[in-house]
Amino acid sequence: MSLLELEVERQSNPVDMIEFVAANNDWSFERSGEDEIAMTVEGRWADYHVSFSWMEEFEALHLACAFDIKVPDSRVNEVIRLLSQINGQVLMGHFDLWRQEEVIIFRQSLLLAGGAEPTNRQVEVLLSSALDACETYFQAFQFVVWSGMDAQRAVDTVMFTTVGEA
Protein backbone atom coordinates (compact mmCIF):
# COMPACT_ATOMS: atom_id res chain seq x y z
CA MET A 1 0.00 0.00 0.00
CA SER A 2 1.36 3.43 -0.91
CA LEU A 3 1.28 6.34 1.50
CA LEU A 4 -1.35 8.06 -0.63
CA GLU A 5 -3.76 5.17 -0.22
CA LEU A 6 -4.04 5.65 3.55
CA GLU A 7 -7.54 6.89 4.31
CA VAL A 8 -8.10 9.26 7.20
CA GLU A 9 -11.45 9.92 8.81
CA ARG A 10 -11.98 13.69 8.84
CA GLN A 11 -13.95 15.17 11.75
CA SER A 12 -15.55 17.94 9.68
CA ASN A 13 -15.48 19.58 6.29
CA PRO A 14 -12.83 22.36 6.30
CA VAL A 15 -15.28 24.65 4.52
CA ASP A 16 -17.33 24.59 7.73
CA MET A 17 -14.47 26.46 9.43
CA ILE A 18 -14.50 29.08 6.67
CA GLU A 19 -18.22 29.57 7.23
CA PHE A 20 -17.64 29.86 10.98
CA VAL A 21 -14.91 32.49 10.53
CA ALA A 22 -16.99 34.41 7.96
CA ALA A 23 -20.03 34.43 10.26
CA ASN A 24 -17.94 35.55 13.27
CA ASN A 25 -16.52 38.44 11.22
CA ASP A 26 -19.94 39.42 9.83
CA TRP A 27 -18.77 38.77 6.27
CA SER A 28 -21.52 38.00 3.78
CA PHE A 29 -21.01 34.66 2.11
CA GLU A 30 -22.76 32.09 -0.02
CA ARG A 31 -22.33 28.39 0.53
CA SER A 32 -22.84 27.06 -3.00
CA GLY A 33 -22.23 23.45 -2.03
CA GLU A 34 -20.83 21.24 0.70
CA ASP A 35 -17.26 21.83 -0.48
CA GLU A 36 -17.42 25.47 -1.59
CA ILE A 37 -18.07 28.90 -0.12
CA ALA A 38 -17.82 32.31 -1.79
CA MET A 39 -17.71 35.87 -0.54
CA THR A 40 -16.96 39.36 -1.75
CA VAL A 41 -14.47 41.37 0.26
CA GLU A 42 -14.12 45.11 -0.16
CA GLY A 43 -10.54 46.24 -0.59
CA ARG A 44 -8.89 49.59 -1.02
CA TRP A 45 -8.55 49.25 -4.81
CA ALA A 46 -11.35 46.82 -5.72
CA ASP A 47 -13.92 44.35 -4.52
CA TYR A 48 -12.34 40.89 -4.41
CA HIS A 49 -14.37 37.81 -5.20
CA VAL A 50 -13.06 35.07 -2.94
CA SER A 51 -13.95 31.41 -3.07
CA PHE A 52 -12.74 28.56 -0.90
CA SER A 53 -13.02 24.99 -2.15
CA TRP A 54 -12.25 21.79 -0.31
CA MET A 55 -10.36 19.45 -2.64
CA GLU A 56 -10.74 16.07 -0.96
CA GLU A 57 -8.45 14.16 -3.36
CA PHE A 58 -5.55 16.49 -2.47
CA GLU A 59 -6.63 17.14 1.13
CA ALA A 60 -6.24 20.83 0.39
CA LEU A 61 -8.32 23.91 1.03
CA HIS A 62 -8.01 26.02 -2.11
CA LEU A 63 -8.53 29.79 -2.12
CA ALA A 64 -9.15 31.73 -5.32
CA CYS A 65 -9.37 35.51 -5.25
CA ALA A 66 -10.39 37.31 -8.45
CA PHE A 67 -10.82 40.95 -9.25
CA ASP A 68 -12.54 42.67 -12.15
CA ILE A 69 -9.84 43.58 -14.61
CA LYS A 70 -10.68 42.12 -18.01
CA VAL A 71 -7.51 41.48 -19.98
CA PRO A 72 -7.92 42.27 -23.68
CA ASP A 73 -6.07 40.07 -26.19
CA SER A 74 -3.74 42.94 -27.04
CA ARG A 75 -2.38 43.02 -23.45
CA VAL A 76 -2.16 39.28 -22.68
CA ASN A 77 1.57 38.95 -23.41
CA GLU A 78 2.49 41.90 -21.20
CA VAL A 79 0.20 40.63 -18.43
CA ILE A 80 1.98 37.26 -18.59
CA ARG A 81 5.32 39.08 -18.20
CA LEU A 82 3.85 40.93 -15.23
CA LEU A 83 2.59 37.68 -13.68
CA SER A 84 6.08 36.23 -13.96
CA GLN A 85 7.67 39.23 -12.24
CA ILE A 86 5.08 39.41 -9.48
CA ASN A 87 5.05 35.66 -8.79
CA GLY A 88 8.81 35.82 -8.28
CA GLN A 89 8.17 38.23 -5.39
CA VAL A 90 5.19 36.50 -3.76
CA LEU A 91 6.16 34.10 -0.98
CA MET A 92 2.93 32.08 -0.80
CA GLY A 93 0.34 31.61 -3.50
CA HIS A 94 0.51 32.93 -7.04
CA PHE A 95 -1.30 35.08 -9.56
CA ASP A 96 -2.65 33.58 -12.75
CA LEU A 97 -4.56 34.68 -15.82
CA TRP A 98 -7.84 32.80 -15.88
CA ARG A 99 -8.35 32.61 -19.63
CA GLN A 100 -11.97 31.40 -19.45
CA GLU A 101 -13.04 34.73 -17.98
CA GLU A 102 -9.97 36.80 -19.02
CA VAL A 103 -9.46 37.98 -15.43
CA ILE A 104 -6.57 37.94 -12.99
CA ILE A 105 -6.86 35.49 -10.13
CA PHE A 106 -4.76 34.86 -7.03
CA ARG A 107 -4.60 31.23 -5.91
CA GLN A 108 -3.28 29.58 -2.78
CA SER A 109 -3.90 26.29 -0.98
CA LEU A 110 -3.69 25.12 2.60
CA LEU A 111 -2.56 21.51 2.79
CA LEU A 112 -4.51 19.56 5.44
CA ALA A 113 -3.10 16.08 4.84
CA GLY A 114 -3.59 13.32 7.37
CA GLY A 115 -6.90 14.63 8.70
CA ALA A 116 -5.56 17.99 9.91
CA GLU A 117 -8.27 20.52 10.62
CA PRO A 118 -7.84 24.21 9.78
CA THR A 119 -7.80 26.67 12.67
CA ASN A 120 -9.49 30.07 12.76
CA ARG A 121 -6.06 31.69 12.59
CA GLN A 122 -4.99 29.66 9.53
CA VAL A 123 -8.17 30.64 7.68
CA GLU A 124 -7.76 34.31 8.60
CA VAL A 125 -4.09 34.31 7.54
CA LEU A 126 -4.88 32.50 4.28
CA LEU A 127 -7.50 35.11 3.42
CA SER A 128 -5.53 38.13 4.63
CA SER A 129 -2.35 37.11 2.79
CA ALA A 130 -4.35 36.69 -0.44
CA LEU A 131 -6.00 40.08 -0.02
CA ASP A 132 -2.66 41.72 0.85
CA ALA A 133 -1.12 40.33 -2.34
CA CYS A 134 -4.07 41.53 -4.41
CA GLU A 135 -3.99 44.99 -2.83
CA THR A 136 -0.22 45.25 -3.32
CA TYR A 137 -0.26 44.43 -7.03
CA PHE A 138 -3.72 45.50 -8.19
CA GLN A 139 -2.47 48.82 -9.54
CA ALA A 140 0.33 47.12 -11.48
CA PHE A 141 -2.31 45.09 -13.33
CA GLN A 142 -4.28 48.30 -13.96
CA PHE A 143 -1.19 50.05 -15.33
CA VAL A 144 -0.44 47.20 -17.73
CA VAL A 145 -4.02 46.56 -18.87
CA TRP A 146 -5.48 50.06 -18.97
CA SER A 147 -2.47 52.37 -19.32
CA GLY A 148 -0.38 50.26 -21.68
CA MET A 149 2.60 50.35 -19.30
CA ASP A 150 5.22 47.60 -19.59
CA ALA A 151 5.44 44.99 -16.81
CA GLN A 152 8.76 46.10 -15.33
CA ARG A 153 7.74 49.73 -15.07
CA ALA A 154 4.38 48.76 -13.54
CA VAL A 155 6.05 46.68 -10.80
CA ASP A 156 8.63 49.40 -10.16
CA THR A 157 5.84 51.97 -9.84
CA VAL A 158 3.75 50.04 -7.31
CA MET A 159 6.76 48.92 -5.28
CA PHE A 160 8.13 52.46 -5.01
CA THR A 161 8.76 53.35 -1.37
CA THR A 162 9.58 56.76 -0.01
CA VAL A 163 12.64 56.97 2.23
CA GLY A 164 13.25 59.79 4.65
CA GLU A 165 11.25 62.93 5.25
CA ALA A 166 10.59 66.00 3.17
Side-chain angles (χ1 to χ4, degrees):
M1 168 163 60
S2 80
L3 292 176
L4 296 177
E5 292 175 13
L6 183 64
E7 298 232 359
V8 176
E9 185 71 28
R10 190 165 292 283
Q11 297 298 316
S12 64
N13 186 323
V15 175
D16 295 340
M17 178 57 72
I18 307 296
E19 184 173 347
F20 175 77
V21 170
N24 279 347
N25 286 290
D26 293 322
W27 298 334
S28 61
F29 61 89
E30 181 180 327
R31 185 88 182 247
S32 54
E34 182 180 324
D35 293 336
E36 192 168 321
I37 190 169
M39 60 189 76
T40 299
V41 179
E42 185 179 333
R44 180 175 174 194
W45 302 113
D47 288 340
Y48 300 103
H49 310 288
V50 181
S51 67
F52 289 89
S53 302
W54 172 240
M55 303 173 83
E56 181 71 40
E57 64 275 16
F58 301 109
E59 293 186 276
L61 184 61
H62 180 259
L63 173 145
C65 183
F67 43 88
D68 290 328
I69 293 183
K70 300 285 186 196
V71 179
D73 288 339
S74 63
R75 299 304 296 159
V76 167
N77 288 338
E78 199 61 31
V79 166
I80 290 171
R81 284 191 222 18
L82 180 61
L83 290 169
S84 177
Q85 289 184 7
I86 291 173
N87 286 336
Q89 297 177 4
V90 176
L91 178 61
M92 294 182 292
H94 69 279
F95 285 94
D96 201 356
L97 176 59
W98 188 21
R99 293 304 304 253
Q100 296 155 321
E101 300 290 328
E102 299 299 335
V103 296
I104 307 299
I105 190 167
F106 181 84
R107 299 169 12 134
Q108 186 174 351
S109 294
L110 176 63
L111 184 61
L112 297 169
E117 300 290 334
T119 65
N120 291 5
R121 182 73 180 133
Q122 286 174 312
V123 169
E124 289 170 354
V125 168
L126 184 66
L127 180 57
S128 69
S129 68
L131 294 173
D132 286 348
C134 290
E135 287 282 284
T136 298
Y137 295 106
F138 179 82
Q139 286 185 305
F141 289 108
Q142 276 187 317
F143 291 150
V144 168
V145 171
W146 294 342
S147 299
M149 194 179 281
D150 68 81
Q152 184 62 56
R153 186 164 166 230
V155 169
D156 291 346
T157 302
V158 299
M159 299 310 291
F160 175 78
T161 56
T162 304
V163 179
E165 295 180 28

